[in-house]
Amino acid sequence: MKKKPPYRVLVIDDSAFIRQFLKEIINQTDELEVIATASDPLIAIEILKKTPVDVITLDVEMPNMDGLDFLRYLMKFRPLPVVMISSWTQDNSDIAVQALSLGAVDIVAKPTLGIRSGMEERKEEIIKKISMAAQAKVNRFPLPVEPVGASLLPPVHQGPTITTDKIIVIGASTGGTVALTEICRELHPNVPGILIVQHLPAMFTPSFSTSLNQIARIQVKEAADGDRITPGLALVVPGGNNLTVRKNGAKYIVKTGPRLPHSIYNPSINHTLHSVAKVAGVNAMGIILTGMGDDGAAGLKEMREKGAYTIAQDEKSSVIYGMPKKAWENEAASKQVPLSKIAQEIHRWAGIKN
């Protein structure tokens, strides 16, 4: 049987050490091979004109053109999977979220101290994310825009003054930030309360929540312990934490907790879905979006068994058809839906007419 050729990697970083380090660890694998490196995006553009490339690693701060400007150019003229590898901090985490919204498949944080030892510790994460990204489907991404007439939109729900007996839970991983942006942009202001479980490191979920709040007609915020689930409000589970839903009379309350020692995913989609299945039953809707792995399949299965309406994103519109595939094969999802139709499916289930 003929061996599959390795995925071709282009490394773009202004640090000679990072370029050499990435080249060495990538070339130690059988499935990846660095075919070129570039110290800035302008050099990378020239390489791309004459060299076939399957996946790119990209820094943000570089001479001549920064990483975000290059990403905009790339996604407009030659879309390719990109893993952002940069020195993210709490202060610039919004740049990482912006990179994901522009079409980057994933992000890796460079260490801010002890660069060599820190990069050594991240070797496995880097290889895993590049390998996964190389298999992703990437389309041309239009530049993010504000909703037309945003200032004239109905006011969002500002506080937990209304109770609801319906809950929507959306789980996502790789490619999920873009998918969630598209869904939230279309949601009606009176949609039932939503929980969003997106696999993201803790430093990025506040910025991601803010970015969703800016484009949506509903209110979006990072979940805090004790928050109520109410119409017109979406709560994003904090990175590195987990969220359990509890019933208090007619109200649904969220309980945030630490990492689960038995789970490789934190936040865990399964954990939240299992809790919703127990307290909401037929009054819940579960959605699994694009992502690698199987997180969410078991929890969605329990939701369906308790009478909830469950769907998964279809293969064609998924960046990575991993989690939705598992949910479908596991008979956890009753239906597969294209990304462009998911908001419409939510409205139909909730009885909302646009």
Side-chain angles (χ1 to χ4, degrees), residues 181-188 215-217 340 343-344 347 354:
T181 299
E182 181 170 334
I183 292 168
C184 287
R185 198 192 301 273
E186 300 297 324
L187 290 176
H188 191 279
I215 58 89
R217 291 184 289 169
S340 61
Q344 179 181 318
H347 293 154
N354 286 333

Side-chain angles (χ1 to χ4, degrees), residues 4-197:
K4 185 179 178 181
Y7 293 109
R8 298 159 295 192
V9 184
L10 170 60
V11 174
I12 310 173
D13 199 296
D14 61 339
S15 164
F17 166 75
I18 294 295
R19 293 197 304 274
Q20 183 60 31
F21 178 84
L22 291 176
K23 182 176 181 179
E24 288 177 0
I25 66 168
I26 290 169
N27 286 346
Q28 288 172 6
T29 71
D30 293 329
E31 58 183 12
L32 300 169
E33 178 186 12
V34 174
I35 46 84
T37 65
S39 58
D40 73 61
L42 295 185
I43 295 173
I45 289 171
E46 293 304 312
I47 292 171
L48 287 168
K49 288 178 181 178
K50 54 192 177 185
T51 307
V53 171
D54 297 310
V55 61
I56 293 173
T57 71
L58 180 64
D59 191 14
V60 173
E61 296 180 359
M62 289 179 289
N64 299 319
M65 177 189 282
D66 71 31
L68 291 185
D69 286 338
F70 173 77
L71 192 59
R72 290 187 185 93
Y73 172 89
L74 185 76
M75 293 304 169
K76 185 175 181 180
F77 296 106
R78 189 180 170 184
L80 286 168
V82 174
V83 176
M84 304 297 297
I85 303 179
S86 195
S87 301
W88 312 111
T89 65
Q90 199 69 52
D91 291 336
N92 72 356
S93 61
D94 59 316
I95 297 176
V97 173
Q98 188 177 355
L100 291 170
S101 73
L102 289 171
V105 174
D106 217 327
I107 49 181
V108 175
K110 289 180 185 174
T112 53
L113 297 172
I115 185 74
R116 179 178 290 276
S117 61
M119 290 298 286
E120 285 285 345
E121 292 171 359
R122 289 162 173 78
K123 280 198 316 187
E124 186 176 336
E125 177 190 3
I126 291 168
I127 295 301
K128 180 180 177 181
K129 290 187 173 181
I130 296 173
S131 299
M132 179 176 63
Q135 303 169 55
K137 292 181 293 184
V138 179
N139 299 312
R140 282 179 168 80
F141 279 77
L143 297 182
V145 295
E146 292 296 318
V148 176
S151 61
L152 301 178
L153 293 173
V156 297
H157 174 59
Q158 295 295 333
T161 59
I162 305 173
T163 62
T164 177
D165 62 353
K166 288 190 174 182
I167 303 178
I168 298 162
V169 193
I170 307 175
S173 189
T174 310
T177 55
V178 171
L180 286 161
T181 299
E182 181 170 334
I183 292 168
C184 287
R185 198 192 301 273
E186 300 297 324
L187 290 176
H188 191 279
N190 295 327
V191 74
I194 297 173
L195 299 175
I196 294 172
V197 193

Side-chain angles (χ1 to χ4, degrees), residues 89-90 93 107 198-209 222 237-241 259 266-267:
T89 65
Q90 199 69 52
S93 61
I107 49 181
Q198 166 71 51
H199 292 161
L200 272 180
M203 74 168 67
F204 300 125
T205 45
S207 296
F208 178 54
S209 304
E222 189 175 43
V237 181
N241 282 249
R259 299 175 66 89
N266 285 282

Side-chain angles (χ1 to χ4, degrees), residues 195 223-227 229 235 243-246 252-256:
L195 299 175
D225 195 47
D227 278 345
I229 301 171
L235 299 174
L243 185 143
T244 305
V245 178
R246 295 177 176 172
Y252 293 113
I253 307 293
V254 304
K255 175 70 178 175
T256 57

